[in-house]
Amino acid sequence: MFQKRPVNPVRVHHPIPPGSEAPFAEPGLQHGFDAIIAPMVSLAEEGLHHIIRVAFDGTHGAHFQSVLQKTLETLENKGYTVLVMGTNSFVKTSEKLRSHFTQNITDNRSFGYFTEGTIENYFRPHAKHEASISMTDVIAATQTPRFPTFIITFGPGAYWLGEGMFDISYFLDVSREYQQMEHKQGLLNFGFSWNRDDVEKYKISLFVEWPIFETYRKKTLDYIHYYIDMNQPRDPVLTTTHTLRQMILSVAKAPMRVKPFFAPGVWGGQFLKEFADLPENWANCAWSFEPIAPENSIILEYEDKQIELPFLTVMHYEHPSILGERLVKLFGDYFPIRFDYLDTINGSNLSVQVHPKQEYVRNQFNEFMTQQESYYIMEKKGDTTVYLGLTEQCTKERFYEGVQTAQETGVPIQLTDYVNAYAAEKGELYLIPTGTVHASGKGNLVLEISSTTWWFTFKIYDYLRKGLDGKPRPINIDHAFENIDFYKKSAWVEENLIPIPTLLLAQGDNEEYVLGQRDDLLFYVHRVHLHNTWKDNTEDEMVMYNLVEGEQVRIVSCVDESIFVEFSYAESYILPASFGEYKIINLGNKPCKLIKAGVSKAWDVSLLET
């Protein structure tokens, strides 16, 4: 059965100590509000503090109120005085934030410009000073009671606002997936009093909020005492940040699988909805991210308890072990390859689209990496199509006029007058460098193997559809036509973008084929045909696998056979660079096939320096 909540075991042979920094810390993972409050109570009972300063920092969208409410109830019932200060009291007004970030938000419905701002851009110019004065006044006004007084600063940026001057500090964290679910329930962007719609919420998150607060999290976590997983707000999970780092260190040495992230879409199909047992009330499932590193979280298990955290945090601490030396020089702590599914089985065609060139995406949007893609046809239903490149008779002028007129008049175009339509074949790979017009037709389950960026899709033509919100879907004709390679026509596409598999290596009955690799694609795509056992080595570079045919396989370390994972059809695993020599064993009753992907050995362009 497809695992929607894959667990990554923390493989250590000794108990992980909580570290010496966190006050009154218990070892391991602890569930519930009482575990969060207990260190504060112990600190007060110690009797060494007249004033106890507490920070509840964290990610926007985490349920601060539930933690705060339980804390107030417990402390006040024990006779302690508790004073509370929220970071939102020191944040700029919504309109000032819109004005400050106007160059990042832009007036384009889909696209913005990635900010290089920092957390202080959210707060009033003298916020730290104001907070310090407020706290000083409160302390001065506090009578010396029989019990200590707690002063709690809570909300995103709490640790920064109090300049780290806290006796005990917590970081409440949630995944991007959780935030986006909360957006649909009415959560606004941090500091904003209104949003136009969910598209704008995501856009502001992507271009402003996440760059600032995810960078802040990386810089701050090392100074925080406790980490709290708030993805299940009624059952928070607490650990020390020291323990968290030790768990991450362990899981980063073995094969890892992130938690898949599913989403419906206007063109979505029914295969993934049924296969992954998604909610019955979903209209469809269009995407599954596994992994798109910034979007996914990862679940760690230690001593039969689990904690969920952003995969970005794992990459922050352990990217040298995961990526390997060469890839760190190219990408830093950025995970460069992504797998995701596009499901149009019993759905409809994707929009006709193109992805921008590296220079364009950097200059126009301050994006780190351009979107280079490939489509692997994993399943299909009936006669299906992949749209790729332009017809020989297509010209820039005719194509532009055609799609522009369709938008203005509402009269559909005959797409195949401009774009090639190829019969999709199961197991075939279609390469999609930047500048290539493309789309999946209805009836396909596509495994997309790509560089790790996902938002910069310039829609050229979308069949005049409206989105699930009932609004016209954004079309980006001008951006698109700045990036289309008009030389990529039928003959060129067939020679360059629909490669024939070539045998790379054989081990007995088992074989590895090169499916696709080009100088203008940073990734390679291979396929392993597995009858029994295949032996390989990461050679100090991250490798990714997906079981595209067959029942179940095991990947096991040749150095330590106690380190292994077993996974089934359609599941993906990351093998860290440090994993070294390994075996893949077919556990099923019939041959299977695995897609293997990584960064091309020939890719030497450091995107850190672009």
Side-chain angles (χ1 to χ4, degrees):
M1 178 179 291
F2 185 82
Q3 295 295 323
K4 289 185 291 186
R5 285 186 59 86
V7 171
N8 298 267
V10 177
R11 297 175 173 90
V12 291
H13 303 295
H14 53 80
I16 297 174
S20 59
E21 296 292 326
F24 299 96
E26 295 291 332
L29 302 176
Q30 298 174 271
H31 284 259
F33 295 98
D34 289 345
I36 298 171
I37 300 165
M40 288 183 272
V41 173
S42 296
L43 196 61
E45 290 176 346
E46 188 181 43
L48 300 179
H49 297 76
H50 165 51
I51 300 292
I52 297 176
R53 303 185 189 196
V54 180
F56 284 130
D57 204 332
T59 300
H60 178 55
H63 211 290
F64 286 89
Q65 288 296 334
S66 62
V67 175
L68 191 63
Q69 180 183 350
K70 296 286 187 182
T71 301
L72 288 171
E73 288 175 0
T74 300
L75 296 180
E76 289 176 347
N77 286 340
K78 289 181 177 292
Y80 300 115
T81 301
V82 186
L83 305 171
V84 176
M85 182 167 64
T87 60
N88 59 347
S89 299
F90 302 91
V91 172
K92 294 173 182 174
T93 66
S94 177
E95 292 313 309
K96 284 186 177 179
L97 287 175
R98 281 190 176 273
S99 175
H100 180 86
F101 292 118
T102 186
Q103 298 300 315
N104 305 105
I105 299 172
T106 75
D107 57 2
N108 184 291
R109 185 154 182 252
S110 297
F111 302 119
Y113 188 86
F114 282 104
T115 183
E116 295 180 353
T118 63
I119 189 169
E120 59 189 284
N121 297 136
Y122 271 100
F123 290 88
R124 295 196 296 269
H126 304 293
K128 283 186 177 183
H129 181 64
E130 292 174 17
S132 176
I133 291 175
S134 296
M135 191 172 287
T136 301
D137 291 346
V138 166
I139 293 171
T142 302
Q143 301 296 317
T144 305
R146 193 160 56 94
F147 297 115
T149 295
F150 285 87
I151 300 178
I152 298 176
T153 306
F154 77 96
Y159 192 84
W160 172 87
L161 189 66
E163 298 192 276
M165 303 298 291
F166 296 98
D167 300 296
I168 187 167
S169 55
Y170 301 82
F171 195 93
L172 285 63
D173 209 3
V174 292
S175 65
R176 284 192 184 184
E177 178 184 10
Y178 180 92
Q179 282 182 298
Q180 290 172 66
M181 290 190 297
E182 289 295 292
H183 283 162
K184 295 184 185 304
Q185 301 302 315
L187 177 70
L188 301 173
N189 292 113
F190 180 70
F192 284 67
S193 61
W194 59 275
N195 284 117
R196 290 183 171 85
D197 53 24
D198 286 344
V199 173
E200 190 195 54
K201 286 180 186 179
Y202 188 86
K203 186 179 76 167
I204 293 173
S205 296
L206 182 65
F207 290 98
V208 177
E209 189 174 313
W210 291 336
I212 288 176
F213 277 104
E214 289 174 351
T215 300
Y216 172 71
R217 177 174 58 204
K218 286 199 297 187
K219 291 181 177 179
T220 306
L221 266 187
D222 282 339
Y223 305 102
I224 297 285
H225 296 125
Y226 288 95
Y227 181 89
I228 307 175
D229 165 16
M230 291 295 295
N231 287 289
Q232 305 293 328
R234 294 183 180 179
D235 185 26
V237 183
L238 175 81
T239 192
T240 67
T241 50
H242 174 83
T243 301
L244 184 71
R245 291 196 298 274
Q246 297 306 305
M247 292 192 297
I248 290 171
L249 177 66
S250 171
V251 298
K253 294 176 180 177
M256 295 173 287
R257 183 170 175 227
V258 301
K259 178 187 171 191
F261 180 176
F262 302 94
V266 67
W267 43 263
Q270 299 299 314
F271 181 93
L272 286 174
K273 179 183 173 183
E274 180 178 345
F275 177 74
D277 192 27
L278 298 177
E280 193 63 36
N281 62 352
W282 281 30
N284 59 53
C285 181
W287 296 276
S288 172
F289 304 156
E290 189 181 342
I292 298 182
E295 293 280 317
N296 290 97
S297 58
I298 186 168
I299 300 168
L300 313 187
E301 185 173 74
Y302 175 64
E303 295 184 338
D304 299 321
K305 294 180 180 178
Q306 297 175 6
I307 188 167
E308 182 177 345
L309 62 147
F311 186 61
L312 287 179
T313 300
V314 175
M315 286 299 299
H316 166 57
Y317 284 117
E318 289 300 320
H319 58 279
S321 178
I322 294 169
L323 296 182
E325 183 178 358
R326 184 179 80 95
L327 302 192
V328 169
K329 289 179 180 177
L330 295 176
F331 307 110
D333 67 354
Y334 193 83
F335 195 86
I337 307 292
R338 68 181 171 105
F339 283 173
D340 66 285
Y341 290 117
L342 308 173
D343 180 10
T344 63
I345 293 177
N346 294 322
S348 55
N349 293 351
L350 268 69
S351 62
V352 180
Q353 56 197 242
V354 68
H355 299 302
K357 309 293 182 65
Q358 179 68 35
E359 184 178 2
Y360 191 89
V361 79
R362 191 69 150 188
N363 291 340
Q364 294 291 319
F365 307 108
N366 198 27
E367 169 59 294
F368 169 74
M369 181 187 290
T370 192
Q371 191 161 329
Q372 310 165 15
E373 287 188 346
S374 64
Y375 282 175
Y376 181 83
I377 307 301
M378 197 155 160
E379 300 287 351
K380 54 173 286 190
K381 183 177 180 180
D383 295 329
T384 64
T385 300
V386 166
Y387 297 95
L388 191 64
L390 304 170
T391 61
E392 295 293 348
Q393 67 269 25
C394 176
T395 66
K396 182 176 183 178
E397 294 72 24
R398 286 186 61 238
F399 195 18
Y400 186 91
E401 182 182 357
V403 295
Q404 188 74 11
T405 301
Q407 288 300 117
E408 293 170 355
T409 65
V411 178
I413 63 170
Q414 182 61 44
L415 181 61
T416 51
D417 287 348
Y418 309 98
V419 182
N420 296 315
Y422 294 101
E425 302 295 340
K426 181 174 178 176
E428 193 147 300
L429 183 75
Y430 301 85
L431 301 176
I432 309 170
T434 59
T436 308
V437 176
H438 65 282
S440 170
K442 63 182 180 181
N444 293 319
L445 178 67
V446 171
L447 173 63
E448 196 172 49
I449 305 119
S450 313
S451 57
T452 301
T453 183
W454 64 99
W455 192 244
F456 292 96
T457 297
F458 297 150
K459 296 183 181 70
I460 303 166
Y461 180 65
D462 195 29
Y463 312 96
L464 311 175
R465 289 183 292 205
K466 293 182 179 179
L468 294 179
D469 58 3
K471 296 182 179 182
R473 298 191 81 204
I475 299 297
N476 321 109
I477 298 173
D478 290 334
H479 278 310
F481 275 77
E482 287 289 323
N483 285 276
I484 294 173
D485 290 328
F486 279 89
Y487 66 85
K488 292 179 178 175
K489 297 191 175 182
S490 307
W492 190 94
V493 166
E494 290 156 23
E495 181 177 349
N496 291 277
L497 302 185
I498 311 176
I500 298 171
T502 58
L503 181 64
L504 177 67
L505 187 65
Q507 297 177 11
D509 294 332
N510 309 289
E511 299 166 324
E512 180 175 351
Y513 289 86
V514 176
L515 293 194
Q517 189 167 328
R518 289 177 50 84
D519 289 345
D520 54 1
L521 295 176
L522 66 81
F523 57 87
Y524 66 81
V525 182
H526 293 185
R527 188 170 60 204
V528 175
H529 295 203
L530 184 66
H531 288 262
N532 37 64
T533 300
W534 180 262
K535 207 168 186 180
D536 209 335
N537 196 312
T538 60
E539 297 179 341
D540 196 37
E541 291 201 8
M542 169 274 299
V543 181
M544 294 169 64
Y545 281 100
N546 181 290
L547 184 59
V548 294
E549 291 185 36
E551 299 167 1
Q552 190 176 43
V553 297
R554 175 188 293 133
I555 295 182
V556 57
S557 166
C558 292
V559 175
D560 181 354
E561 294 199 355
S562 70
I563 301 176
F564 67 89
V565 292
E566 294 179 356
F567 59 102
S568 302
Y569 171 75
E571 296 178 354
S572 304
Y573 266 85
I574 300 163
L575 272 58
S578 61
F579 192 53
E581 191 175 19
Y582 61 93
K583 293 183 290 188
I584 310 177
I585 302 167
N586 185 1
L587 301 179
N589 295 314
K590 58 183 180 180
C592 58
K593 295 178 181 178
L594 298 99
I595 285 294
K596 173 186 177 183
V599 176
S600 171
K601 300 292 186 185
W603 186 268
D604 61 359
V605 179
S606 173
L607 300 183
L608 298 175
E609 300 169 359
T610 302

